[in-house]
Amino acid sequence: MIEFLSYGFVQKGLVAGTLVAAACALLGVFLVLKRLSLIGDGMSHVCLTGVALALVTSTQPVYMSVPVVLLSSLGIMKLVQKVRIYGDAAIGIVSAAGLSVGLLITALAGGFNTDLLSYLFGSILTVSAAEAVLCGLLLLVILVLLRLFYRDFTSACFDEPFAKTRGINVSLLNTGLIMVTSIAVVLAFKVVGIFLISALLIIPPVAALLVSRTFRQVLGWAVCFGVISVWVGIYISFLWDIPSGASIILINLLFLSGSYVFSKFGKKSHD
Amino acid sequence: MSSVLKAEKVSFAYTRVPVLENVSFDVQSGDYVGIIGPNGGGKTTLLKVMLGLERGRGKIELFGTPLKQFNAWHKIGYLAQKSPVSQARFPVSAQEVVLMGLTDHHGSGVSVGELKQVYAAMQQTNTRQYAGKIFHDLSIGQQQRVLLARALVSQPEVLILDEPSTALDGTSREMFFDLLAQLNQKYHTTILLITHDTGEVGKYISKFMYVDKTVVFFGTKEEFCHSKAVAEKLGAFAQHTIDHLHNQHGHCPLGGTCQECGK
């Protein structure tokens, strides 16, 4: 264990993974309750376009992906608000567009080497110190927003029309939530990989919802499940030399199973 | 009496088919308005447009302020037709739900003053005993009473209610309409209530608004109930409503004497 923690790349990976898992868990609670949980999946597919563009232009994938994913998330918002199509359909359209463009760029560039695979499935080796700092900033922004607008977020999540009649700018909150989620998705693809980012946004909140009786408990448990799964997942990935994304998500699934068993056979928390 | 809700030539369409066309009315402070009309006539949509939940064309004023500039939302209490929680496991207590009706603070803290307001509203709606329970675990009727407490917690000057009594049992319904009458008479609260149950609420209402894509009729209940000309103008649905009011009670439940039938 000590040997494991002595490696610089492991330290960076653990720090970045912890921060990004906590950020994704907090955002995921709102996304799951607003039935927008698949937005992570859609955004992750769009990430492929950013990564492909970065590999073609020899720039950092994170910096190239952030604007691409942000623009796509705004595209989803516009499709829902202006064209008035369902949220899941809008996510599906943008997701398919992102994946197609990414594959097209990859094909036109004559394919890529193993770099692309590491982005698809996650590789803790690729996390830089600057990215770990960005993860910290992201979590800080989320915590500050939650502190300042906790009641607005829960109200808008619980009953959007009523929240509007309280003067809450629900549209701005939704846009903010989706844009912060987009950045979290970009920062998370180094840790769990493009294919598995959405799991980090969905599984910890769903597991937390099964065992909690208050909204604060949901947020707390979701962060716990997300962070512990990253720690254990990275350790297993190091031990068995497997992609970190897969091991992290499998640990998350164990938490989900345990939560389900607890909610079924444990103390009835809602009584 | 001052204008509380005013609409001038308001129109709205979800697609190309208009749901509301050239709607104009002016609700005065202290009015108790029963909004009636056929299914699909645009009653719910009208309330949504008035509250800015749907964007219509035309001029809307709340308390004399154009809708876009209006920000005194604590003056308005709103109870929608459907309960907001259709999905399982939204972990908020009934007390937290009522707290959402207050707009002064946005962050995570709750002041003692706010808690007092919440308990007072829950007392009014006889839901204090559910304060710590998970909202989702309550029955639909109990949820509806908690949501009424949420609409009342900011001590609004206007209550906008969309078929609020459909999920309530007989006792709760009676308590509910008595409370509305008390708010209207004692505190001069303006009430707009969408209802199909004209017989039950007719005795409390001061005005009727008949909506069928536009405001076909808006006036006192006496004008509505006792005027044959109005009945002819409004067609089968309105005639049915008047007949229902007369037949159910054996006489006009709204008071006064009908000029046509003498009851």
Side-chain angles (χ1 to χ4, degrees), chain A residues 32-35 82 84 146-155 157-162 164-168 209-216 218 263 269-271, chain B residues 14 51 53-54 73-74 76-78 84-87 89-92 96-97 99-103 105-110 114 132-135 137 147 150-151 154:
Chain A
V32 166
L33 288 172
K34 286 179 81 72
R35 301 184 179 193
K82 301 289 180 193
R84 294 186 87 112
L146 266 183
R147 176 76 186 162
L148 293 178
F149 302 107
Y150 176 83
R151 203 183 292 176
D152 291 357
F153 272 117
T154 48
S155 186
C157 215
F158 177 73
D159 187 351
E160 199 169 298
F162 182 80
K164 285 180 183 170
T165 71
R166 299 299 84 195
I168 296 171
L209 281 165
L210 288 170
V211 296
S212 307
R213 66 174 278 121
T214 68
F215 201 81
R216 284 186 173 80
V218 177
S263 71
S269 61
H270 287 188
D271 289 342
Chain B
Y14 286 106
L51 289 166
L53 299 176
E54 299 288 356
W73 290 103
H74 64 278
I76 295 176
Y78 172 56
V85 177
S86 54
Q87 80 261 46
R89 293 193 184 279
F90 198 112
V92 281
E96 287 174 300
V97 170
L99 189 65
M100 290 173 190
L102 295 173
T103 55
H105 296 108
H106 304 276
S108 55
V110 184
E114 286 181 321
K133 294 207 171 194
I134 300 290
F135 179 81
D137 290 346
L147 294 174
R150 183 181 66 167
S154 63

Side-chain angles (χ1 to χ4, degrees), chain B residues 125-182:
Chain B
T125 56
N126 197 21
T127 51
R128 183 90 186 256
Q129 64 273 31
Y130 312 133
K133 294 207 171 194
I134 300 290
F135 179 81
H136 180 79
D137 290 346
L138 300 175
S139 71
I140 300 293
Q142 290 165 343
Q143 286 182 5
Q144 196 72 347
R145 280 156 57 200
V146 170
L147 294 174
L148 177 64
R150 183 181 66 167
L152 293 173
V153 71
S154 63
Q155 296 177 311
E157 291 174 35
V158 182
L159 266 178
I160 296 175
L161 311 163
D162 189 352
E163 293 194 59
S165 62
T166 42
L168 301 179
D169 58 33
T171 313
S172 299
R173 193 152 48 214
E174 200 174 316
M175 185 217 76
F176 183 83
F177 287 120
D178 283 348
L179 174 62
L180 293 186
Q182 191 190 345

Side-chain angles (χ1 to χ4, degrees), chain A residues 19-207:
Chain A
L19 295 169
V20 89
C24 284
L26 291 171
L27 293 169
V29 170
F30 294 98
L31 295 172
V32 166
L33 288 172
K34 286 179 81 72
R35 301 184 179 193
L36 283 171
S37 41
L38 280 179
I39 199 155
D41 204 43
M43 292 298 96
S44 63
H45 290 168
V46 174
C47 270
L48 190 68
T49 300
V51 171
L53 279 172
L55 293 176
V56 167
T57 56
S58 300
T59 50
Q60 279 292 321
V62 169
Y63 305 132
M64 186 60 86
S65 298
V66 166
V68 172
V69 175
L70 278 176
L71 282 174
S72 303
S73 64
L74 287 176
I76 290 174
M77 294 292 291
K78 289 292 172 202
L79 279 174
V80 173
Q81 288 168 356
K82 301 289 180 193
V83 190
R84 294 186 87 112
I85 61 173
Y86 291 114
D88 54 352
I91 290 168
I93 291 166
V94 173
S95 164
L99 199 57
S100 318
V101 173
L103 289 173
L104 193 69
I105 294 169
T106 308
L108 290 175
F112 298 117
N113 54 22
T114 50
D115 276 358
L116 188 62
L117 282 181
S118 75
Y119 293 123
L120 292 179
F121 300 105
S123 172
I124 211 72
L125 290 165
T126 60
V127 176
S128 69
E131 284 160 2
V133 171
L134 282 177
C135 292
L137 283 174
L138 174 75
L139 183 60
L140 186 67
V141 167
I142 292 167
L143 290 173
V144 169
L145 287 175
L146 266 183
R147 176 76 186 162
L148 293 178
F149 302 107
Y150 176 83
R151 203 183 292 176
D152 291 357
F153 272 117
T154 48
S155 186
C157 215
F158 177 73
D159 187 351
E160 199 169 298
F162 182 80
K164 285 180 183 170
T165 71
R166 299 299 84 195
I168 296 171
N169 193 336
V170 175
S171 176
L172 185 67
L173 286 184
N174 285 343
T175 305
L177 177 67
I178 287 177
M179 293 189 82
V180 174
T181 303
S182 303
I183 296 171
V185 164
V186 173
L187 293 177
F189 75 64
K190 287 286 188 69
V191 180
V192 289
I194 285 171
F195 285 151
L196 294 171
I197 292 166
S198 59
L200 217 52
L201 285 163
I202 298 171
I203 300 174
V206 170

